[in-house]
Amino acid sequence: MRVIAGEHRGRKLAAVPGSGTRPTTDKVKESIFNMIGPYFDGGWALDLYAGTGSLGIEALSRGADKAVFVERDAKAFAVVKQNVSACRLDEYAELYRMDAERAIRQLAKRAQPFALVFLDPPYAKQRIVEEIEQLQALGLLADGAWIVAEHDSKLSFPDAIQNCVKDREATYGDTAVTLYYYDPQQEA
């Protein structure tokens, strides 16, 4: 696993030991960034189920201003911390060791909207629709934000979740990626 493009291109990233975490493959990660735009002109990213931190680190490498990494599992959290430090991104990263629901509530208190949100929960514990609704309700999405949901390919999601409109879907074996675009002018 490595950083695909940008300032930290080619940097190797550590994996979480064991089989409890399913990292996003480099192929899927590259496809995600090809779909949402290869580089960013600032904005904050939220990696809500960080795992190794690969997606948030990739966003930082490609021009995001800051990234917030949320990971509940102690081993995975340690790997995120290690990978962020190895890429010398500590000053651009905030790490939270807690579950996604609690993190969303805490982040709402800061009123910092995100331009890019990665939702890659464990397949057995997916609440993607509810989390997208909650992100909107708490004002955590910047106008024009992208939400990248990585999920089991057997699942399908609605064309719109309130003001988030499905932009596209792609399937890679057992993994699927659904992209939503946040348009606050869209009728919910």
Side-chain angles (χ1 to χ4, degrees), residues 34-69:
N34 285 339
M35 288 188 273
I36 61 176
Y39 296 97
F40 306 104
D41 186 20
W44 283 53
L46 173 60
D47 195 345
L48 198 54
Y49 296 88
T52 63
S54 172
L55 292 170
I57 290 170
E58 189 73 33
L60 287 170
S61 182
R62 292 171 184 246
D65 289 329
K66 293 236 180 198
V68 173
F69 298 85

Short mmCIF file of all heavy atoms in Angstrom, two decimals, residues 34-69:
data_model
loop_
_atom_site.label_atom_id
_atom_site.label_comp_id
_atom_site.label_asym_id
_atom_site.label_seq_id
_atom_site.Cartn_x
_atom_site.Cartn_y
_atom_site.Cartn_z
N ASN A 34 -9.59 9.41 -9.29
CA ASN A 34 -9.86 9.74 -10.70
C ASN A 34 -11.30 10.22 -10.86
O ASN A 34 -11.57 11.08 -11.69
CB ASN A 34 -9.58 8.55 -11.61
CG ASN A 34 -8.10 8.32 -11.82
OD1 ASN A 34 -7.28 9.20 -11.63
ND2 ASN A 34 -7.76 7.10 -12.20
N MET A 35 -12.22 9.64 -10.08
CA MET A 35 -13.63 10.01 -10.19
C MET A 35 -13.93 11.38 -9.57
O MET A 35 -14.70 12.15 -10.11
CB MET A 35 -14.52 8.95 -9.51
CG MET A 35 -14.63 7.66 -10.28
SD MET A 35 -15.87 6.55 -9.56
CE MET A 35 -14.92 5.70 -8.31
N ILE A 36 -13.36 11.67 -8.43
CA ILE A 36 -13.70 12.92 -7.73
C ILE A 36 -12.80 14.09 -8.13
O ILE A 36 -13.05 15.22 -7.73
CB ILE A 36 -13.68 12.76 -6.19
CG1 ILE A 36 -12.29 12.35 -5.68
CG2 ILE A 36 -14.75 11.81 -5.75
CD1 ILE A 36 -12.18 12.27 -4.18
N GLY A 37 -11.81 13.81 -8.90
CA GLY A 37 -10.86 14.86 -9.29
C GLY A 37 -9.52 14.52 -8.70
O GLY A 37 -9.42 14.27 -7.50
N PRO A 38 -8.49 14.51 -9.50
CA PRO A 38 -7.21 14.02 -9.04
C PRO A 38 -6.53 14.89 -7.99
O PRO A 38 -5.78 14.40 -7.16
CB PRO A 38 -6.36 13.93 -10.30
CG PRO A 38 -7.04 14.77 -11.30
CD PRO A 38 -8.48 14.82 -10.92
N TYR A 39 -6.80 16.22 -7.99
CA TYR A 39 -6.12 17.10 -7.04
C TYR A 39 -7.14 18.08 -6.46
O TYR A 39 -8.18 18.33 -7.04
CB TYR A 39 -4.97 17.85 -7.71
CG TYR A 39 -3.90 16.91 -8.17
CD1 TYR A 39 -3.85 16.46 -9.48
CD2 TYR A 39 -2.96 16.42 -7.27
CE1 TYR A 39 -2.89 15.55 -9.89
CE2 TYR A 39 -1.99 15.51 -7.67
CZ TYR A 39 -1.97 15.09 -8.98
OH TYR A 39 -1.02 14.18 -9.37
N PHE A 40 -6.80 18.63 -5.28
CA PHE A 40 -7.71 19.52 -4.58
C PHE A 40 -7.07 20.88 -4.37
O PHE A 40 -5.86 20.99 -4.22
CB PHE A 40 -8.10 18.92 -3.22
CG PHE A 40 -8.63 17.54 -3.34
CD1 PHE A 40 -7.85 16.45 -3.00
CD2 PHE A 40 -9.89 17.31 -3.84
CE1 PHE A 40 -8.32 15.16 -3.15
CE2 PHE A 40 -10.38 16.03 -4.00
CZ PHE A 40 -9.59 14.96 -3.65
N ASP A 41 -7.92 21.86 -4.30
CA ASP A 41 -7.47 23.22 -4.03
C ASP A 41 -7.94 23.57 -2.61
O ASP A 41 -8.85 24.36 -2.44
CB ASP A 41 -8.04 24.17 -5.07
CG ASP A 41 -7.50 25.58 -4.92
OD1 ASP A 41 -6.44 25.73 -4.29
OD2 ASP A 41 -8.15 26.51 -5.41
N GLY A 42 -7.35 22.91 -1.64
CA GLY A 42 -7.70 23.16 -0.24
C GLY A 42 -8.89 22.36 0.22
O GLY A 42 -9.26 21.35 -0.36
N GLY A 43 -9.50 22.84 1.30
CA GLY A 43 -10.64 22.16 1.91
C GLY A 43 -10.19 21.11 2.91
O GLY A 43 -9.02 20.71 2.94
N TRP A 44 -11.10 20.72 3.76
CA TRP A 44 -10.85 19.71 4.79
C TRP A 44 -11.43 18.37 4.36
O TRP A 44 -12.48 18.31 3.72
CB TRP A 44 -11.51 20.13 6.10
CG TRP A 44 -10.80 21.19 6.87
CD1 TRP A 44 -10.40 22.41 6.40
CD2 TRP A 44 -10.40 21.13 8.23
NE1 TRP A 44 -9.78 23.12 7.40
CE2 TRP A 44 -9.77 22.36 8.53
CE3 TRP A 44 -10.52 20.17 9.23
CZ2 TRP A 44 -9.27 22.65 9.80
CZ3 TRP A 44 -10.02 20.46 10.48
CH2 TRP A 44 -9.39 21.69 10.76
N ALA A 45 -10.73 17.30 4.73
CA ALA A 45 -11.18 15.93 4.44
C ALA A 45 -11.48 15.23 5.76
O ALA A 45 -10.83 15.49 6.78
CB ALA A 45 -10.11 15.17 3.68
N LEU A 46 -12.46 14.35 5.73
CA LEU A 46 -12.83 13.53 6.89
C LEU A 46 -12.74 12.07 6.49
O LEU A 46 -13.44 11.63 5.59
CB LEU A 46 -14.24 13.87 7.36
CG LEU A 46 -14.85 12.99 8.45
CD1 LEU A 46 -14.02 13.03 9.73
CD2 LEU A 46 -16.30 13.40 8.73
N ASP A 47 -11.85 11.33 7.15
CA ASP A 47 -11.70 9.89 6.93
C ASP A 47 -12.34 9.23 8.14
O ASP A 47 -11.70 9.03 9.16
CB ASP A 47 -10.21 9.56 6.80
CG ASP A 47 -9.96 8.18 6.21
OD1 ASP A 47 -10.91 7.38 6.15
OD2 ASP A 47 -8.81 7.91 5.82
N LEU A 48 -13.64 8.93 8.03
CA LEU A 48 -14.44 8.56 9.20
C LEU A 48 -14.15 7.17 9.74
O LEU A 48 -14.31 6.93 10.93
CB LEU A 48 -15.93 8.72 8.88
CG LEU A 48 -16.87 8.80 10.06
CD1 LEU A 48 -16.49 9.88 11.04
CD2 LEU A 48 -18.30 9.02 9.58
N TYR A 49 -13.76 6.26 8.91
CA TYR A 49 -13.35 4.91 9.34
C TYR A 49 -11.94 4.73 8.79
O TYR A 49 -11.73 4.01 7.83
CB TYR A 49 -14.29 3.85 8.78
CG TYR A 49 -15.70 3.98 9.30
CD1 TYR A 49 -16.64 4.78 8.67
CD2 TYR A 49 -16.10 3.28 10.44
CE1 TYR A 49 -17.93 4.89 9.15
CE2 TYR A 49 -17.38 3.39 10.93
CZ TYR A 49 -18.30 4.20 10.28
OH TYR A 49 -19.57 4.31 10.76
N ALA A 50 -10.98 5.37 9.41
CA ALA A 50 -9.67 5.56 8.81
C ALA A 50 -8.91 4.28 8.49
O ALA A 50 -8.20 4.22 7.50
CB ALA A 50 -8.82 6.47 9.70
N GLY A 51 -9.02 3.26 9.32
CA GLY A 51 -8.27 2.02 9.05
C GLY A 51 -6.78 2.27 9.12
O GLY A 51 -6.19 2.36 10.18
N THR A 52 -6.14 2.44 7.96
CA THR A 52 -4.71 2.76 7.89
C THR A 52 -4.47 4.26 7.70
O THR A 52 -3.34 4.71 7.77
CB THR A 52 -4.04 2.02 6.71
OG1 THR A 52 -4.63 2.50 5.50
CG2 THR A 52 -4.20 0.52 6.83
N GLY A 53 -5.54 4.99 7.37
CA GLY A 53 -5.41 6.41 7.07
C GLY A 53 -5.10 6.68 5.61
O GLY A 53 -4.89 7.82 5.20
N SER A 54 -5.08 5.65 4.81
CA SER A 54 -4.67 5.74 3.41
C SER A 54 -5.46 6.78 2.61
O SER A 54 -4.88 7.55 1.85
CB SER A 54 -4.82 4.36 2.78
OG SER A 54 -4.62 4.41 1.40
N LEU A 55 -6.78 6.82 2.76
CA LEU A 55 -7.59 7.74 1.96
C LEU A 55 -7.37 9.19 2.38
O LEU A 55 -7.21 10.08 1.53
CB LEU A 55 -9.07 7.36 2.04
CG LEU A 55 -9.43 6.04 1.37
CD1 LEU A 55 -10.85 5.63 1.72
CD2 LEU A 55 -9.26 6.13 -0.14
N GLY A 56 -7.35 9.45 3.67
CA GLY A 56 -7.10 10.80 4.15
C GLY A 56 -5.71 11.29 3.80
O GLY A 56 -5.51 12.45 3.44
N ILE A 57 -4.72 10.42 3.91
CA ILE A 57 -3.34 10.77 3.55
C ILE A 57 -3.25 11.08 2.06
O ILE A 57 -2.60 12.03 1.65
CB ILE A 57 -2.36 9.65 3.96
CG1 ILE A 57 -2.25 9.60 5.49
CG2 ILE A 57 -1.00 9.83 3.30
CD1 ILE A 57 -1.51 8.40 6.04
N GLU A 58 -3.94 10.30 1.25
CA GLU A 58 -3.96 10.55 -0.19
C GLU A 58 -4.57 11.92 -0.48
O GLU A 58 -4.05 12.67 -1.32
CB GLU A 58 -4.75 9.46 -0.91
CG GLU A 58 -4.65 9.49 -2.41
CD GLU A 58 -3.31 9.02 -2.96
OE1 GLU A 58 -2.67 8.12 -2.37
OE2 GLU A 58 -2.89 9.56 -4.01
N ALA A 59 -5.65 12.28 0.22
CA ALA A 59 -6.28 13.59 0.03
C ALA A 59 -5.31 14.71 0.41
O ALA A 59 -5.20 15.72 -0.31
CB ALA A 59 -7.56 13.69 0.86
N LEU A 60 -4.58 14.55 1.51
CA LEU A 60 -3.58 15.55 1.91
C LEU A 60 -2.48 15.66 0.86
O LEU A 60 -2.04 16.76 0.51
CB LEU A 60 -2.99 15.20 3.27
CG LEU A 60 -3.89 15.43 4.48
CD1 LEU A 60 -3.27 14.81 5.73
CD2 LEU A 60 -4.19 16.91 4.68
N SER A 61 -2.02 14.54 0.38
CA SER A 61 -0.96 14.52 -0.62
C SER A 61 -1.39 15.25 -1.89
O SER A 61 -0.58 15.86 -2.58
CB SER A 61 -0.56 13.08 -0.95
OG SER A 61 0.49 13.04 -1.88
N ARG A 62 -2.70 15.22 -2.18
CA ARG A 62 -3.23 15.82 -3.40
C ARG A 62 -3.77 17.24 -3.20
O ARG A 62 -4.42 17.78 -4.08
CB ARG A 62 -4.32 14.92 -3.97
CG ARG A 62 -3.78 13.59 -4.49
CD ARG A 62 -4.93 12.65 -4.84
NE ARG A 62 -4.48 11.35 -5.25
CZ ARG A 62 -4.64 10.86 -6.49
NH1 ARG A 62 -5.22 11.57 -7.42
NH2 ARG A 62 -4.22 9.65 -6.77
N GLY A 63 -3.54 17.83 -2.02
CA GLY A 63 -3.86 19.24 -1.87
C GLY A 63 -4.92 19.62 -0.86
O GLY A 63 -5.25 20.81 -0.74
N ALA A 64 -5.51 18.67 -0.13
CA ALA A 64 -6.45 19.04 0.94
C ALA A 64 -5.68 19.80 2.01
O ALA A 64 -4.50 19.53 2.25
CB ALA A 64 -7.10 17.79 1.53
N ASP A 65 -6.32 20.79 2.63
CA ASP A 65 -5.66 21.60 3.67
C ASP A 65 -5.39 20.80 4.93
O ASP A 65 -4.31 20.88 5.51
CB ASP A 65 -6.53 22.80 4.05
CG ASP A 65 -6.60 23.84 2.96
OD1 ASP A 65 -5.63 23.98 2.20
OD2 ASP A 65 -7.65 24.52 2.88
N LYS A 66 -6.40 20.09 5.39
CA LYS A 66 -6.31 19.31 6.63
C LYS A 66 -7.15 18.06 6.46
O LYS A 66 -8.05 18.01 5.63
CB LYS A 66 -6.87 20.11 7.81
CG LYS A 66 -6.06 21.32 8.17
CD LYS A 66 -5.66 21.26 9.60
CE LYS A 66 -4.83 22.50 9.93
NZ LYS A 66 -4.06 22.37 11.10
N ALA A 67 -6.86 17.07 7.30
CA ALA A 67 -7.66 15.85 7.31
C ALA A 67 -7.89 15.43 8.76
O ALA A 67 -7.00 15.53 9.60
CB ALA A 67 -6.98 14.73 6.54
N VAL A 68 -9.11 14.98 9.01
CA VAL A 68 -9.48 14.43 10.31
C VAL A 68 -9.63 12.93 10.12
O VAL A 68 -10.37 12.48 9.23
CB VAL A 68 -10.79 15.06 10.83
CG1 VAL A 68 -11.25 14.36 12.11
CG2 VAL A 68 -10.61 16.55 11.07
N PHE A 69 -8.92 12.17 10.94
CA PHE A 69 -8.94 10.72 10.88
C PHE A 69 -9.66 10.20 12.12
O PHE A 69 -9.28 10.55 13.24
CB PHE A 69 -7.51 10.16 10.86
CG PHE A 69 -6.70 10.59 9.67
CD1 PHE A 69 -6.02 11.80 9.69
CD2 PHE A 69 -6.63 9.80 8.55
CE1 PHE A 69 -5.26 12.21 8.59
CE2 PHE A 69 -5.87 10.19 7.45
CZ PHE A 69 -5.19 11.40 7.47
#
